[in-house]
C-alpha cells in the first residue's frame, strides 16, 4: 500500500515536473524565435550600413540607410543620412569650384599664350618647368618635350650673364639665329621657398630693323642737308672776303645775316644728328678751367644776345676746374644761353654763374622772362617737346633733351627752376672727383 502511495506521489510530481519542463521549453522556444527575428533585423541593418559606407568610400553619395524597426536605431539612421547629404552637398560645391578653376585656368593659359612675349619658368638648376607655346615654337620643340630640359640647351647668353639676372639683355636662340631677341628674368616667389625664375623673351627683330632704317635715314638726311649748307657758307665767306669783287656795306650786312642763319641751320642739323646718336654718345673728359671756358662761350654768344638787347653777365667767385668733355659741355651751355635769349625778356640780363655744392660743380644759366608753367616744367626734357610753338618760334624740341642726355653721360644732371612771369634758371651738375678737388 505504501509503495502504491509512494508510486502515486512520484508519478504526480513527475507529471508536474514534465509539465513545468514543457512550459519552460515553450517559453525558450518563443524567446529564441523572437531573438532570432531581432538578430536578423539587426544583421540586415548592419548590412545596409556597411553597403552604404562602401558606396561612400567609392564616391557614390546617392545611397541612404533605410529605417528598420529596431529600438534606438532611428537617431543613428537619421544622423548617418544627414552626414551623407552634407557630403553630397560638399561634393557638388567642390565640383563646381573645380569646374570654375578649370575654366579660369583655361582663360589664363589662353591669355598668356596670346602674349607677344615668350615665357619660360625654370628652377634653380635651369631646368624648364613650364613654358608658353610661343617660346616652344622659337625653340623648335614641342612644349611637352621641353619639360625637364635645361634652358641653356636652347639659348646662348652674353658672357658673364646668368638666367637669374637677365635684364633686357640680347640673347641668341639657337634654333633662330637670324632673329633678334632680348630676355629679362623675374624671381618667382612661392611658399615652398624653392628658387624659380620666369624668363621673359622678346622678339625685337622688327624694332632692330626699324632702328637701323631710322639711323640710316637720319644719317643720310643730315649728311645731305649739311653738304649744301656748308657749300653755301663757304660761298658767303668768299663774298665777304670780296673774292669776287668789292661789295657795299649793305651787302656785307645782308651776307653776315645769311651767314648767321646758315650757322644756326647747320647747328640745328647737327643737333638732330647728335640726338639720334645719343645712345652711342662717347664722352672724352679733360680738365676744363671754367673761367676761360665760359668767357669763350660768352664771346661767341654775345653777338646773338645783342640782337635782342640782352647782356650776358658772368658771375664768379673764383676759377673752378672740372673734368668734362669740352665740346659736349660747350654745346649744353650754348643751348641754354640760346633758350634764355629766345624766352627771356628783351634787354634784360642773362646771368651765367659757376659754383660748387657737395660733390658737384654747378653751372647756372638764368633769364628773366616768361618762365615755364607748372604743367610744362616736367616735360621740357622730353624728346621733341618744345614750348617754342607757343611763342611762334621755330624749334625741334631736341635741344634740352640732348643737353639733358649729355649731362647724364657725365654722371651728372640738368635741372630747372622757374616762376612764371619772373625767371627760369637751368643748373648743370658735374660730379667732382678727388683728383679734381685738389685743383679747385
Amino acid at each position: 500500500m505504501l509503495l502504491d502511495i509512494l508510486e502515486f506521489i512520484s508519478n504526480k510530481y513527475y507529471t508536474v515536473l514534465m509539465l513545468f519542463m514543457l512550459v519552460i521549453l515553450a517559453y525558450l522556444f518563443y524567446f529564441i524565435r523572437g531573438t532570432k527575428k531581432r538578430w536578423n533585423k539587426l544583421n540586415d541593418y548592419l548590412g545596409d550600413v556597411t553597403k552604404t559606407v562602401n558606396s561612400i568610400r567609392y564616391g557614390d553619395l546617392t545611397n541612404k540607410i533605410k529605417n528598420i524597426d529596431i529600438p534606438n536605431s532611428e537617431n543613428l539612421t537619421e544622423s548617418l543620412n544627414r552626414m551623407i547629404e552634407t557630403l553630397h552637398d560638399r561634393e557638388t560645391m567642390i565640383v563646381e569650384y573645380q569646374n570654375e578653376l578649370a575654366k579660369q585656368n583655361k582663360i589664363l593659359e589662353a591669355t598668356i599664350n596670346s602674349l607677344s612675349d615668350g615665357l619660360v619658368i625654370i628652377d634653380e638648376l635651369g631646368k624648364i618647368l613650364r613654358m608658353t607655346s610661343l617660346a616652344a615654337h622659337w625653340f623648335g620643340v614641342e612644349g611637352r618635350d621641353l619639360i625637364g630640359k635645361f634652358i641653356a640647351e636652347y639659348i646662348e647668353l652674353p658672357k658673364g650673364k646668368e638666367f637669374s639676372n637677365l635684364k633686357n639683355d640680347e640673347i641668341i636662340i639657337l634654333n633662330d639665329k637670324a632673329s633678334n631677341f632680348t630676355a629679362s628674368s623675374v624671381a618667382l616667389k612661392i611658399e615652398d621657398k624653392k628658387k624659380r625664375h620666369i624668363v621673359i623673351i622678346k622678339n625685337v627683330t622688327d624694332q632692330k630693323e626699324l632702328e637701323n632704317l631710322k639711323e640710316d635715314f637720319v644719317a643720310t638726311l643730315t649728311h645731305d642737308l649739311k653738304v649744301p649748307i656748308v657749300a653755301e657758307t663757304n660761298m658767303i665767306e668768299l663774298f665777304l672776303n670780296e673774292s669776287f669783287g668789292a661789295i657795299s656795306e649793305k651787302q656785307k650786312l645782308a651776307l653776315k645775316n645769311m651767314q648767321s642763319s646758315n650757322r644756326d641751320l647747320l647747328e640745328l642739323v647737327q643737333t638732330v644728328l647728335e640726338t639720334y646718336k645719343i645712345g652711342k654718345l662717347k664722352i672724352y673728359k679733360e680738365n676744363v678751367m671754367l673761367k676761360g671756358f665760359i668767357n669763350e662761350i660768352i664771346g661767341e654768344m654775345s653777338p646773338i644776345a645783342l640782337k635782342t638787347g640782352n647782356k650776358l653777365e658772368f658771375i664768379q667767385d673764383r676759377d673752378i676746374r672740372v673734368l668734362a668733355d669740352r665740346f659736349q659741355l660747350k654745346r649744353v651751355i650754348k643751348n641754354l644761353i640760346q633758350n634764355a635769349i629766345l624766352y627771356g625778356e628783351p634787354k634784360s640780363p642773362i646771368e651765367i654763374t659757376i659754383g660748387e655744392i657737395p660733390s658737384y660743380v654747378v653751372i647756372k644759366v638764368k633769364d628773366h622772362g616768361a618762365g615755364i608753367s607748372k604743367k610744362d616744367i616736367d616735360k621740357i626734357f622730353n624728346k621733341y617737346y618744345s614750348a617754342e610753338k607757343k611763342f611762334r618760334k621755330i624749334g625741334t624740341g631736341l635741344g634740352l633733351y640732348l643737353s639733358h642726355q649729355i649731362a647724364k653721360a657725365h654722371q651728372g644732371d640738368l635741372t630747372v627752376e622757374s616762376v612764371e612771369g619772373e625767371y627760369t634758371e637751368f643748373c648743370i651738375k658735374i660730379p667732382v672727383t678727388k683728383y679734381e678737388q685738389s685743383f679747385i
Side-chain angles (χ1 to χ4, degrees):
M1 184 68 177
L2 180 60
L3 292 172
D4 291 337
I5 292 171
L6 290 171
E7 183 178 1
F8 174 78
I9 293 171
S10 176
N11 290 334
K12 185 177 179 181
Y13 276 104
Y14 177 78
T15 302
V16 172
L17 181 62
M18 288 300 294
L19 287 172
F20 179 74
M21 289 297 294
L22 287 172
V23 170
I24 292 297
L25 288 172
Y27 179 78
L28 287 173
F29 176 78
Y30 176 78
F31 178 78
I32 290 170
R33 185 179 178 187
T35 301
K36 184 177 181 182
K37 288 181 179 179
R38 286 194 295 274
W39 175 256
N40 287 339
K41 286 184 179 180
L42 180 61
N43 190 47
D44 291 343
Y45 181 75
L46 292 175
D48 191 23
V49 171
T50 302
K51 181 181 177 182
T52 304
V53 169
N54 283 330
S55 297
I56 294 172
R57 178 185 175 189
Y58 292 106
D60 184 2
L61 299 175
T62 58
N63 291 332
K64 290 187 178 180
I65 300 171
K66 298 176 182 178
N67 286 317
I68 297 178
D69 186 19
I70 296 179
N72 300 322
S73 67
E74 293 85 356
N75 291 336
L76 177 62
T77 301
E78 185 178 356
S79 297
L80 290 172
N81 285 337
R82 284 182 180 177
M83 182 189 72
I84 293 170
E85 289 176 358
T86 302
L87 289 173
H88 184 267
D89 292 340
R90 294 290 176 86
E91 183 189 48
T92 302
M93 187 183 301
I94 290 170
V95 170
E96 290 176 355
Y97 284 155
Q98 287 176 333
N99 291 336
E100 182 63 25
L101 286 173
K103 180 181 177 182
Q104 294 298 329
N105 187 55
K106 286 182 179 179
I107 293 173
L108 180 61
E109 187 173 354
T111 302
I112 292 174
N113 283 326
S114 67
L115 297 175
S116 59
D117 300 338
L119 305 181
V120 184
I121 301 176
I122 59 174
D123 63 13
E124 57 186 338
L125 299 176
K127 286 185 178 180
I128 298 173
L129 303 176
R130 290 196 68 179
M131 83 295 301
T132 58
S133 56
L134 182 59
H137 171 71
W138 287 337
F139 292 173
V141 183
E142 288 289 334
R144 58 180 176 273
D145 296 332
L146 286 167
I147 304 298
K149 298 290 183 66
F150 288 98
I151 191 173
E153 297 177 26
Y154 306 95
I155 293 178
E156 182 180 320
L157 297 182
K159 288 184 179 180
K161 278 289 182 178
E162 300 290 339
F163 284 100
S164 59
N165 61 4
L166 291 171
K167 189 174 182 180
N168 291 324
D169 293 293
E170 293 186 0
I171 62 170
I172 297 174
I173 293 182
L174 300 178
N175 183 61
D176 191 2
K177 293 184 178 180
S179 300
N180 300 100
F181 295 92
T182 61
S184 299
S185 64
V186 180
L188 188 61
K189 296 181 181 179
I190 303 179
E191 292 181 356
D192 59 10
K193 296 183 180 180
K194 291 183 179 180
K195 293 182 180 179
R196 301 181 181 88
H197 283 82
I198 301 177
V199 180
I200 306 166
I201 305 171
K202 296 178 180 289
N203 187 335
V204 294
T205 304
D206 292 340
Q207 291 93 314
K208 278 280 185 181
E209 291 179 358
L210 185 61
E211 286 176 10
N212 291 335
L213 286 172
K214 184 170 65 175
E215 288 181 5
D216 291 343
F217 171 76
V218 172
T220 302
L221 177 64
T222 51
H223 177 268
D224 290 346
L225 285 172
K226 285 170 68 176
V227 170
I229 296 171
V230 171
E232 186 177 348
T233 300
N234 292 337
M235 185 61 67
I236 292 172
E237 193 70 32
L238 290 173
F239 276 113
L240 286 171
N241 293 334
E242 298 185 340
S243 300
F244 303 107
I247 58 175
S248 66
E249 288 300 319
K250 287 185 178 180
Q251 289 172 329
K252 279 186 180 181
L253 181 60
L255 288 170
K256 284 182 178 180
N257 288 335
M258 290 174 63
Q259 189 180 47
S260 177
S261 297
N262 265 26
R263 191 183 300 114
D264 293 341
L265 184 57
L266 188 60
E267 182 73 18
L268 182 61
V269 171
Q270 187 63 31
T271 299
V272 173
L273 180 59
E274 290 294 334
T275 302
Y276 281 94
K277 291 168 62 179
I278 196 68
K280 303 174 182 178
L281 182 65
K282 292 182 179 180
I283 298 297
Y284 301 96
K285 293 184 179 180
E286 58 182 295
N287 286 304
V288 179
M289 298 301 297
L290 288 180
K291 181 179 179 181
F293 181 66
I294 299 295
N295 280 322
E296 180 184 328
I297 295 172
I298 289 176
E300 294 178 14
M301 299 299 294
S302 290
I304 301 174
L306 286 174
K307 294 179 181 179
T308 54
N310 297 109
K311 182 180 179 181
L312 303 182
E313 297 181 354
F314 183 23
I315 303 169
Q316 54 176 319
D317 292 329
R318 58 193 176 94
D319 203 357
I320 299 175
R321 187 190 298 268
V322 67
L323 192 64
D325 186 309
R326 176 181 287 269
F327 175 78
Q328 299 294 352
L329 184 57
K330 185 176 184 180
R331 178 187 294 277
V332 175
I333 297 171
K334 288 181 69 175
N335 180 66
L336 296 180
I337 294 174
Q338 179 71 36
N339 282 348
I341 294 170
L342 284 171
Y343 302 119
E345 188 69 26
K347 299 181 181 180
S348 65
I350 295 172
E351 300 160 6
I352 300 97
T353 309
I354 60 174
E356 304 161 67
I357 59 174
S359 302
Y360 290 95
V361 171
V362 296
I363 305 167
K364 298 181 179 180
V365 178
K366 182 177 182 180
D367 71 75
H368 301 271
I372 304 170
S373 67
K374 291 182 179 179
K375 69 175 183 178
D376 290 332
I377 201 163
D378 293 330
K379 305 174 186 177
I380 60 172
F381 295 122
N382 293 350
K383 201 172 186 180
Y384 301 119
Y385 181 80
S386 174
E388 291 180 344
K389 292 181 181 178
K390 188 190 331 184
F391 298 98
R392 302 185 181 277
K393 298 176 182 179
I394 299 172
T396 61
L398 294 174
L400 287 177
Y401 168 79
L402 181 59
S403 298
H404 191 252
Q405 296 303 312
I406 291 172
K408 291 288 188 183
H410 281 80
Q411 287 77 53
D413 200 4
L414 176 61
T415 59
V416 61
E417 291 183 7
S418 185
V419 176
E420 282 191 88
E422 293 187 21
Y423 73 90
T424 299
E425 182 177 76
F426 286 90
C427 178
I428 308 164
K429 300 177 182 179
I430 305 294
V432 177
T433 65
K434 292 181 179 179
Y435 176 73
E436 291 170 307
Q437 287 175 335
S438 63
F439 288 93
I440 294 175

